Amino acid sequence: MISALGEASADLGAMLDKILPRPDGQIEQPLFEAMRYSTMGEGKRLRPFLVLAASELFRVSRTSALRVAAAIEMVHTYSLIHDDLPAMDNDDLRRGKPSCHKQFGEATAILAGDALLTQAFEVLVDEETHPDPRVCTQLVRAMARAAGPYGMVGGQMIDLAGEGQSLSEAQVTHLHLLKTGRMFAFACEAGAILGKAPTSMRMALRAYAHDMGLAFQIKDDLLDVEASSADLGKTAGKDVEQEKSTFVKLLGLEQAREQAQMLCDQAIDHLGVFDGEGEPLRAVARFVIERQR
Amino acid sequence: MISALGEASADLGAMLDKILPRPDGQIEQPLFEAMRYSTMGEGKRLRPFLVLAASELFRVSRTSALRVAAAIEMVHTYSLIHDDLPAMDNDDLRRGKPSCHKQFGEATAILAGDALLTQAFEVLVDEETHPDPRVCTQLVRAMARAAGPYGMVGGQMIDLAGEGQSLSEAQVTHLHLLKTGRMFAFACEAGAILGKAPTSMRMALRAYAHDMGLAFQIKDDLLDVEASSADLGKTAGKDVEQEKSTFVKLLGLEQAREQAQMLCDQAIDHLGVFDGEGEPLRAVARFVIERQR
C-alpha cells in the first residue's frame, strides 16, 4: 500500500509542478513559493490516490485523473494552511516541517490558501482535464459542494464552535462527515464522473468513502493520543489540549478501535458492486486504520 | 446613476438572500451569519451592476445575469473579509459597520471568506445560471483566472510585498490591474459570455473595464487622502499610514485627477463598438471618478 501511494505521489508531484505558478523573481514570488511549499510537501496524499484508484475502475485517462487529483490536493492543502493559522488551530508544524504561516507569515499564508482554492476550480474546467464541458461542470459542482459551507468549511465551523463544549457521538460523526468525509467522497466520485459511470456505482463509491473517511477520523483521534509529534509530522495531543470532542473521548480507546475496524469492513463491503475490481480502494481502507501517522 | 445602482442592488439582494445559507440554529450558524452579514451590507455593488449592464447589451435573461452578479459579489466580499483581517490590512470598519472579524472573530471570518469563494463557483455551474455547460465552464475559467494567483490574489500579494517599498508607476498600475482590474473585466466579460457575444465585443468590454478599473483605483487613492472615514464607510488615511505606493504619491493630486479623467474618457471610447448602446456602462465610468465614497 505504501509503495502504491508513493508511486501515485510521484506522478501527482509532477502534475502539481506543471500546474502551480512558478516563482521567477516577481514581486508576488512569496505567494507562488508558499503555494508550492505547502502543496509539494510530504503528505499522505490519500485523496489524490482515491481519485486515481476510482478512475481506474472506469478506464479514465491517466491525465484526466491526475489533473483532478491535483485539484483535490490543492483544495486539501488550502484547508490545512488556513486550519493551521493562529486564529484557527494555531499549529506550527505540518507534514513534518514548519506550517505555511510560520515559514511565510500569516498574510502570505492566507493568500496562498485562497489562491490554491481558486486555481483548483480552474484546473477542473480545463479542456485538458476533460473535453466534455458537462463532465467539467459536474466536477465543479461536486467539489464546491464538498468543500463549501455545507461541506468541509461547514465542518470546520462546527469543529471550532464545538471546542470546549461536549458534542454527542452523532454530532461528532456529523462534524467529520462534513469536515473530511465529503472531500473523500468527492475524490472517489470524481473517478465516476470522469468515467461517466452509472449512478449505482457513483453511490457505492460515496458510501465507501463515507465509511472509510469516518474510520480515518477515528484513527486520527487514536493517533493523537497514541503517537508522538515526530511520528505524526504534526503536533500530537492537540485534541486533549483544545478540549475537542473526539471519538476516543466519547467511546474510549478500545471501542474506538473496534468502531474503526467495523467501518473499514463496511467500506470494503460497498465495493462489492465492482465484482472483485477496486483492490487499491480496499487496500486504502485497510491502510487507513493500520497506519502509524 | 445612484438610483440605477440602487435598483440593481435590491434585485441582487434578493438573489443573494436566495443563494446564501440560512442560519437556523445549527452549530455552524455563525458561519452562515458571517457570510450574510458581510455580503448583504451596503456596498456600492459596482461589480454586480457591471454584470447586469453588460448582460443587457446581449439580451441575457435577468436571472442568469443576477446569478452571475451574485457570484461576483460573493467573491468580492470574500476578498474584503480576508483583506480586513489583522494579519492583512487590519481594518475594523467596512461598508460603515464593524468588519467581519470584529463582529464574528477571526476564525469565523476566515471560514466565511473561504465559504463564499467556494460557493460562488457552485453558483456559476448551476443549470439555473445557464443551461449550456459550455457557457458555465467559460464562466468558471474566467472567474478563477480573474480571482486567482495571476489575478486578484496575485495583486493583493504585490500590494502586501510592496508596503514600505517605493513601487514605480508601472508597478502600481500592474498591481491594480491584477487586484481590481481583472475582476472588473470579468464582471463585464461575464455578460458577453452569457450572451455568446463575438470576440470583438468581449475584448471591447475587457478594455473598457481595465481603463475604468484603473480610474476607479486612482479615485480610491484620491478619496483616501480627501475624504473622512465616515464618508467612506471605511478607514481613511490608511495608505499614508501603511506607506503604500499610491497614484497620489506618485503623480501628485492634480495629475492623478487628470489621469483618472483621461482613463474615464478612454473607457467610454471603447464602448463605441456598441453603436450608442451601453449607456449604463458609460454612466458607471463617469460615476467612478465623480463619487465621494
Side-chain angles (χ1 to χ4, degrees):
Chain A
M1 181 61 209
I2 300 290
S3 81
L5 278 178
E7 198 183 307
S9 189
D11 290 353
L12 180 77
M15 182 57 84
L16 285 166
D17 182 48
K18 197 181 145 191
I19 288 170
L20 292 171
R22 201 167 286 280
D24 197 18
Q26 316 91 330
I27 315 184
E28 61 269 51
Q29 171 157 321
L31 174 68
F32 299 168
E33 281 172 353
M35 291 170 76
R36 284 176 173 264
Y37 172 85
S38 292
T39 315
M40 309 289 277
E42 289 295 310
K44 282 180 288 289
R45 292 179 162 167
L46 207 50
R47 291 159 189 79
F49 185 82
L50 290 172
V51 180
L52 299 179
S55 295
E56 263 176 33
L57 288 168
F58 310 106
R59 316 284 179 266
V60 171
S61 89
R62 185 82 175 168
T63 302
S64 292
L66 276 172
R67 289 183 62 89
V68 174
I72 292 186
E73 188 66 4
M74 288 162 76
V75 170
H76 177 54
T77 303
Y78 120 77
S79 78
L80 297 179
I81 294 174
H82 283 190
D83 220 32
D84 285 342
L85 287 167
M88 307 272 291
D89 271 0
N90 192 20
D91 227 316
D92 293 352
L93 193 62
R94 171 64 69 181
R95 294 174 168 174
K97 57 187 188 180
S99 49
C100 192
H101 66 276
K102 286 309 261 184
Q103 190 74 13
F104 294 94
E106 273 186 65
T108 303
I110 293 168
L111 292 177
D114 293 344
L116 285 167
L117 173 60
T118 309
Q119 206 191 350
F121 284 103
E122 189 184 342
V123 171
L124 293 187
V125 295
D126 196 294
E127 277 169 19
E128 278 189 65
T129 301
H130 204 284
D132 181 350
R134 205 170 301 272
V135 167
C136 295
T137 55
Q138 281 184 46
L139 290 170
V140 170
R141 187 176 307 120
M143 185 161 87
R145 285 190 184 157
Y150 303 113
M152 186 175 67
V153 175
Q156 284 171 310
M157 186 71 228
I158 298 176
D159 203 10
L160 278 167
E163 270 175 37
Q165 307 183 26
S166 287
L167 302 182
S168 67
E169 191 188 339
Q171 285 176 314
V172 174
T173 302
H174 180 62
L175 187 174
H176 292 298
L177 175 65
L178 296 188
K179 192 177 168 183
T180 55
R182 292 263 195 268
M183 282 299 286
F184 275 129
F186 170 59
C188 293
E189 203 177 355
I193 294 173
L194 287 168
K196 300 186 177 179
T199 308
S200 61
M201 292 188 175
R202 210 165 141 164
M203 290 303 112
L205 284 169
R206 285 187 67 92
Y208 157 83
H210 282 153
D211 289 337
M212 187 273 289
L214 204 52
F216 180 87
Q217 187 55 50
I218 296 175
K219 181 69 182 185
D220 243 27
D221 289 356
L222 285 163
L223 286 171
D224 186 73
V225 178
E226 295 171 336
S228 70
S229 298
D231 287 342
L232 289 179
K234 61 181 180 183
T235 313
K238 292 282 288 188
D239 296 339
V240 176
E241 190 196 304
Q242 296 180 338
E243 298 179 56
K244 292 215 171 168
S245 303
T246 68
F247 285 106
V248 173
K249 202 169 161 188
L250 285 161
L251 304 174
L253 275 173
E254 206 40 54
Q255 219 195 312
R257 284 193 198 106
E258 280 171 26
Q259 181 85 347
Q261 182 64 56
M262 190 272 285
L263 285 162
C264 163
D265 296 343
Q266 201 170 291
I268 289 171
D269 282 348
H270 290 299
L271 299 174
V273 64
F274 298 112
D275 270 345
E277 279 199 87
E279 177 51 30
L281 293 175
R282 276 187 283 276
V284 166
R286 289 188 295 264
F287 167 76
V288 149
I289 59 166
E290 285 161 12
R291 69 200 165 100
Q292 294 308 316
R293 57 177 288 176
Chain B
M1 180 62 208
I2 301 289
S3 81
L5 278 178
E7 198 183 304
S9 188
D11 290 353
L12 180 77
M15 182 56 83
L16 286 166
D17 183 48
K18 196 181 144 191
I19 289 170
L20 292 170
R22 202 168 286 282
D24 197 18
Q26 316 92 329
I27 316 183
E28 61 267 51
Q29 171 156 320
L31 174 69
F32 300 168
E33 282 173 351
M35 291 171 76
R36 284 176 172 263
Y37 172 85
S38 292
T39 315
M40 308 290 275
E42 289 294 310
K44 282 181 287 291
R45 291 177 163 170
L46 208 50
R47 291 158 190 79
F49 185 82
L50 290 172
V51 180
L52 299 179
S55 295
E56 265 177 32
L57 287 168
F58 310 106
R59 316 282 179 269
V60 170
S61 89
R62 185 81 174 169
T63 302
S64 292
L66 276 171
R67 290 183 63 87
V68 174
I72 291 187
E73 189 66 4
M74 289 161 77
V75 170
H76 177 54
T77 303
Y78 120 75
S79 77
L80 297 180
I81 293 173
H82 283 189
D83 221 30
D84 285 343
L85 287 167
M88 307 271 289
D89 271 1
N90 192 21
D91 227 316
D92 292 354
L93 193 62
R94 172 63 70 181
R95 293 173 169 175
K97 58 187 189 182
S99 47
C100 191
H101 66 277
K102 285 310 258 186
Q103 191 73 15
F104 294 94
E106 274 185 65
T108 303
I110 293 167
L111 292 177
D114 293 345
L116 285 167
L117 173 60
T118 309
Q119 206 192 350
F121 284 104
E122 188 185 343
V123 172
L124 293 187
V125 295
D126 196 294
E127 277 169 19
E128 279 190 66
T129 301
H130 204 285
D132 181 349
R134 204 170 300 271
V135 167
C136 295
T137 55
Q138 282 184 44
L139 290 170
V140 169
R141 187 176 306 123
M143 186 160 88
R145 285 189 185 160
Y150 303 113
M152 186 173 69
V153 175
Q156 284 171 309
M157 187 69 229
I158 299 176
D159 204 10
L160 278 166
E163 272 175 37
Q165 307 184 26
S166 288
L167 302 182
S168 67
E169 192 188 338
Q171 286 176 314
V172 175
T173 303
H174 180 62
L175 186 174
H176 292 299
L177 175 65
L178 297 188
K179 190 176 169 184
T180 55
R182 292 262 195 267
M183 282 300 285
F184 274 129
F186 171 59
C188 294
E189 203 176 357
I193 294 173
L194 287 168
K196 300 186 178 179
T199 308
S200 60
M201 292 186 175
R202 210 165 142 166
M203 290 301 111
L205 285 169
R206 286 187 68 90
Y208 157 84
H210 281 153
D211 289 337
M212 186 274 289
L214 204 52
F216 180 89
Q217 187 55 51
I218 297 176
K219 181 69 181 186
D220 243 27
D221 289 355
L222 285 162
L223 286 171
D224 186 72
V225 178
E226 295 170 335
S228 70
S229 297
D231 286 342
L232 290 180
K234 62 181 178 184
T235 313
K238 291 283 288 188
D239 295 339
V240 176
E241 190 197 302
Q242 295 181 338
E243 299 180 54
K244 292 215 172 168
S245 302
T246 70
F247 286 106
V248 174
K249 203 169 159 188
L250 284 162
L251 305 174
L253 274 174
E254 205 41 54
Q255 219 195 313
R257 283 193 198 104
E258 279 171 26
Q259 182 85 346
Q261 182 65 55
M262 191 271 286
L263 285 162
C264 162
D265 296 343
Q266 201 170 291
I268 290 172
D269 281 349
H270 289 301
L271 300 173
V273 65
F274 298 112
D275 272 346
E277 278 198 89
E279 179 50 31
L281 293 175
R282 277 187 283 277
V284 166
R286 289 188 297 265
F287 166 76
V288 150
I289 60 166
E290 284 161 11
R291 70 202 165 96
Q292 294 306 315
R293 58 176 288 175

